[in-house]
Each structure stands twice: as structure tokens, then as C-alpha cells.
Amino acid sequence: MEVENTFRQWKKQCLNKVDLSKKGSVDEDIANIVSMLNDSEKYFTTSSCSGRIIVIDGVSDCLDVQKQNCSWLFVTHQKCQKMDLVSSLERSCGDVVFKFEPFILHVQCQQLEDAQLLHSVAIHSGFRNSGITIGKKGKIIMVWAVRSTHCLEVPLSRKGQVLVSADYIEFLAEVANQKMVENLRRIERFFECLQSAMHHEGLHCRSTRVMEEKSVYRRRRKRTQESRGESCEGSRDTSLSDEDNGLDNGMDLFSL
């Protein structure tokens, strides 16, 4: 009970905080995932990004760029166009880098088994670079993303001088857009797997309660029959329906 109360307190504090991200809101493509997790008693999200294509002006001596807070020259959570990238380069003064970053999500979990369930869902959905961390205060954080070959990071300029051709910029846009399509496909698959896992988890909890209630009922009925001198030998127990007997079918999809 103490663990649950502490977790609820952490969740309330986190969800009541002001969103300090550049966008200031949850990305549309993962809003359903974030809502589902935050609506659950076992989870809450601490940070998220659906995936993005960005052009960043790194270390720069250009005061105008710094004053206008334009270190991020371009960012989108959807596909990009070649002209978006060209236009952003025209405003650069320093070392510009083009990046594609995939979906990333941090979720705090109530119990370790809750984190293990999410980890199983993430791996099953193609998010191989997923993991569980446990803090000193017992905070269990589930993190997943897709890095390695699914990320993209390419330098475009040095001290304001563009180093690549227009054709290469167009090629980068095509590659990043392909990665974005794959990223969104994995997000959709993750959402479907999460729905299935949480649904099965709910069924498991309900079926356990039903079985316990029916077990109590059978014991009480047996005692009543014995007190009346009735014999139970050879009688058929009809307290479990076919539907009850089949509740565990297909429950091992996300077994750990």
C-alpha cells in the first residue's frame, strides 16, 4: 500500500507539471499511447517524442542566430521537403547538423513486473533499444527508442559554409522521410501491441477474481452438501462455463 501511495504521489506531481518542451504539448502521433499509459494506475509518462527531423546550428559565433533563439533552424515531426532544409541552411552561421531521431518514450512504472510487460511490448513492436532502469528511491523507469541504423546524423556546413550539394540535400530528405514512415509504422504497431497487452492483463486480473470467487462458492456448497449428508462423488462440477475455462487461451503473447 505504501508503494502504491508513493507512486500515485509521484504521478500526480509529474502530470501536474508545466510542459517545458519546445513544442509544449504531446506529439499528435503518440497522443493515444501517452493517454493510455497515463490513464492506467500502473504507469505515467515522464517525457516523449514521436520522432523528428531537425536541422541544428551547433557552436555558432553568430549573435543574430543566438538572439533569435534559432539554434534549432528547422524541426518537424512529419516528413520534410528539400526546400525546408535549404531554407534553414540560409539562416546558419555555424556548424549545421541534419538529424533524424526516432520515437522515444520514458515511462515510470509502479512495479517491476509492470515495466517488464512494457519492455516485452516494446521489443515485440521493433523497439530493440529498450531498457529498464531502477533509481535509488525505487523509481522504475521504462525507456525505449530505436537508435543505431534507424537514426541519422549528417553535418551540412562548417562555420557557415555549406559542404554539400543541393542534390545531396534532396537525397537526405528522401532518406529521412523513409525513416519517418518506418518510425510511424512502428509506433502504430506498438500502440496495437500495448492495447492487446493491457487488455489481456485486465482479463487476467478479472479471471483471477472470478476463479477465486467460484472456488469459495464451491467450498461453501461442498460444506453444505456434506452437512446435509449428500454425496458429491460422480457429480459434475458445472460452476465453470466453457468461457471461463478458455480465459487463459492466447494469454502468453507477452509472457516474460
Side-chain angles (χ1 to χ4, degrees), residues 190-221:
F190 174 81
F191 177 61
E192 293 173 352
C193 291
L194 180 62
Q195 280 184 310
S196 179
M198 295 185 75
H199 175 66
H200 287 158
E201 187 75 3
L203 277 181
H204 176 70
C205 293
R206 289 194 296 274
S207 63
T208 300
R209 288 196 298 270
V210 169
M211 294 293 287
E212 290 174 349
E213 291 171 358
K214 290 182 179 296
S215 178
V216 171
Y217 169 76
R218 288 198 302 271
R219 289 197 298 270
R220 288 176 180 173
R221 190 180 63 178

Side-chain angles (χ1 to χ4, degrees), residues 22 53-58 60 62 64-66 68-76 83-98 156-157 160:
K22 288 181 176 293
I53 296 172
I54 54 178
V55 178
I56 300 179
D57 198 339
S60 174
C62 179
D64 290 336
V65 169
Q66 297 298 333
Q68 295 174 9
N69 194 27
C70 290
S71 292
W72 289 49
L73 302 176
F74 173 75
V75 57
T76 181
M83 293 310 301
D84 296 329
L85 308 183
V86 173
S87 176
S88 65
L89 278 173
E90 293 174 352
R91 303 195 307 273
S92 68
C93 297
D95 300 344
V96 174
V97 176
F98 173 85
L156 297 182
S157 71

Side-chain angles (χ1 to χ4, degrees), residues 44-230:
F44 66 90
T45 60
T46 59
S47 64
S48 64
C49 177
S50 64
R52 61 194 179 189
I53 296 172
I54 54 178
V55 178
I56 300 179
D57 198 339
V59 179
S60 174
D61 298 326
C62 179
L63 296 180
D64 290 336
V65 169
Q66 297 298 333
K67 285 181 179 179
Q68 295 174 9
N69 194 27
C70 290
S71 292
W72 289 49
L73 302 176
F74 173 75
V75 57
T76 181
H77 298 277
Q78 304 296 327
K79 293 182 180 180
C80 68
Q81 301 293 328
K82 171 187 173 182
M83 293 310 301
D84 296 329
L85 308 183
V86 173
S87 176
S88 65
L89 278 173
E90 293 174 352
R91 303 195 307 273
S92 68
C93 297
D95 300 344
V96 174
V97 176
F98 173 85
K99 291 184 177 183
F100 167 78
E101 296 176 340
F103 171 49
I104 186 168
L105 184 64
H106 295 75
V107 182
Q108 189 164 332
C109 310
Q110 182 172 316
Q111 302 286 349
L112 180 59
E113 53 265 31
D114 302 326
Q116 290 172 327
L117 176 67
L118 277 190
H119 184 265
S120 178
V121 171
I123 297 299
H124 183 78
S125 305
F127 295 95
R128 303 297 179 183
N129 193 24
S130 304
I132 300 171
T133 62
I134 301 178
K136 294 181 179 179
K137 296 183 179 180
K139 294 182 178 181
I140 303 171
I141 306 293
M142 175 66 210
V143 186
W144 57 85
V146 181
R147 293 190 174 92
S148 67
T149 57
H150 199 59
C151 279
L152 181 65
E153 183 171 346
V154 180
L156 297 182
S157 71
R158 171 68 173 168
K159 295 183 178 180
Q161 181 179 357
V162 178
L163 303 175
V164 297
S165 66
D167 289 341
Y168 188 72
I169 293 175
E170 183 175 7
F171 169 71
L172 283 180
E174 292 176 357
V175 172
N177 288 339
Q178 290 173 1
K179 289 180 177 291
M180 181 62 77
V181 170
E182 172 62 19
N183 180 66
L184 295 176
R185 187 183 68 83
R186 294 187 187 188
I187 289 175
E188 182 177 355
R189 184 166 61 185
F190 174 81
F191 177 61
E192 293 173 352
C193 291
L194 180 62
Q195 280 184 310
S196 179
M198 295 185 75
H199 175 66
H200 287 158
E201 187 75 3
L203 277 181
H204 176 70
C205 293
R206 289 194 296 274
S207 63
T208 300
R209 288 196 298 270
V210 169
M211 294 293 287
E212 290 174 349
E213 291 171 358
K214 290 182 179 296
S215 178
V216 171
Y217 169 76
R218 288 198 302 271
R219 289 197 298 270
R220 288 176 180 173
R221 190 180 63 178
K222 182 177 181 180
R223 286 197 298 268
T224 300
Q225 290 173 333
E226 289 175 347
S227 66
R228 294 175 180 175
E230 298 176 2

